[in-house]
Amino acid sequence: MGEYHIKGGQRLSGQLSIYGAKNAVLPMLAAVVLNKGISVIHNCPRISDTFMVIKILKAIGADVKMEGTTITIDSTGADNYEVPEKYVREMRSSIIFLGSVLGRFGQVKISYPGGCELGARPIDLHLKGIRQLGANIVEEGGFIVAEAAKLKGARIDLDFPSVGATENIMLAAVLAEGRTIISNAAKEPEIVDMQNFLCAMGAKVSGAGKDTIVIDGVKNLHDVEYTVMPDRIVAGTYLTAAAITGGELLLTNVSPSHLHPITSKLAETGCEIKTEKTRVYLKAPKELKPIERLRTHPHPGFPTDMQPQLMALLSTAKGMSIVEETVFESRNKHISELIRMGANIVLLQDGMTSVVTGVKKLQGANVICRDLRGGAALILAGLAAEGKTVVTNSVFVERGYVDIEEDLRIIGADICYVK
Ligand code: EPZ
């Protein structure tokens, strides 16, 4: 388990290019199982989650190679419908293979992903939707065994716009008979990117980004070459790093529209934001303003994956902010560690609402990273703190950021990675 060693106080400034989105490429790498052929995906982030999915694809029997940020998959010979338990236990988002392996083979055996540091992470909406497509699903001994001679299109009303459930149902519906309608679907940009990828493979999918997605089943798919969208959470994290250090930053290779829910909140703290076609510029104010009420919400609301980072920022604003996490019941592991750094945060009894009163300066400390975005938040706090901060358990951060210490050093941070 590596550590990030940070000497705070450097004002960040400069330019960074943003790489491909983790939460877009993972479902695409599951989707390639549906195509008995060659899929080439460019701009894949070299993060541990990507390498884990490559292991799963190989276990299913696909040939996979990654050169630079391009992954080439030949799933012609894929013949194994059992997704190895050790991989699912290690990366819960591999549940996304449920829909695509079932769609390809008519059967799938996959371990229950279980909870994680963010909470219980149930998959009831995934299973309910796939049962509505005609699958017979047995849950026993910690495994999900699903089979369907032929999946049939259905109308599926999601109780909650779950990203994973929307993706799994889309994948299972692509080769099903007839039309599937998903209402109250997740509207995240990664869902739109996945729709574009599926259509590039010959699937018939429309409506992504809105409440209702329509999938008309096709007999088979064809070879595809595709480039993944940029990572809006990595972009938001870097913009927040510039904001918390009183700096300025130009990001290239981004989609400003994807970033709007984040940049609008950064603007509320007094940051100057300028956008062009594929670029976003931020200049921090002399003094950060608090945000009266920051609530996370499914897209196009403020993304839960940016909540810890904004909390670190608001810990140094002049005044009091209320931060409400409404998506994950336990996305609060970073709070105790920020308090160790001198932040004034009170987590209310509901475990999801925090009262953040800004302090003049955070103090460097040894802090423990317990999840991906919480770890990023602790790094940001270290950049702004007085003195040295050591963030342990880098393995969490490496799941979603490519060499974060190198990017931050490029724009002036005094940070190094220690194995
Ligand atoms: C995806 O997780 C992302 N992960 C998460 O990013 C992101 O935070 C989340 O969407 C919300 O945007 C990937 O794309 C790999 P959900 P997912 O299903 O699909 C409840 C990161 O940091 N729910 O939209 O698991 C669930 O408990 C990660 O990059 C059910 O109740 O999110 C949670 O409260 C973290 N039943 C809420 O919905 C279900 O069947 C949101 O979950 C499914 C979900």
Side-chain angles (χ1 to χ4, degrees), residues 22-23 26-27 92-93 118 120-127 160-165 167 188 232 304-305 326-329 331 372-373:
K22 164 177 91 82
N23 292 349
L26 297 183
R92 63 168 310 288
S93 50
L118 301 183
R121 306 297 291 271
I123 57 166
D124 56 305
L125 300 177
H126 299 237
L127 301 180
F160 177 87
S162 153
V163 170
E167 292 167 342
E188 274 68 9
R232 61 195 171 103
T304 172
D305 292 348
T326 69
V327 176
F328 289 117
E329 70 273 20
R331 186 162 233 167
L372 167 55
R373 307 302 176 183

Side-chain angles (χ1 to χ4, degrees), residues 132-212:
Q132 285 182 265
L133 294 175
N136 173 39
I137 300 179
V138 174
E139 301 162 61
E140 64 187 8
F143 283 92
I144 297 159
V145 180
E147 54 190 10
K150 186 71 191 150
L151 292 166
K152 289 194 175 41
R155 181 187 174 88
I156 297 165
D157 301 310
L158 285 178
D159 299 341
F160 177 87
S162 153
V163 170
T166 302
E167 292 167 342
N168 246 330
I169 296 163
M170 286 168 78
L171 291 171
V174 160
L175 298 177
E177 217 162 73
R179 171 164 284 195
T180 296
I181 297 173
I182 308 172
S183 71
N184 195 25
K187 300 192 275 287
E188 274 68 9
E190 292 77 16
I191 304 275
V192 178
D193 213 29
M194 164 110 118
Q195 168 180 282
N196 297 339
F197 177 69
L198 291 171
C199 292
M201 277 206 280
K204 288 196 171 59
V205 188
S206 60
K210 299 191 193 69
D211 282 323
T212 304

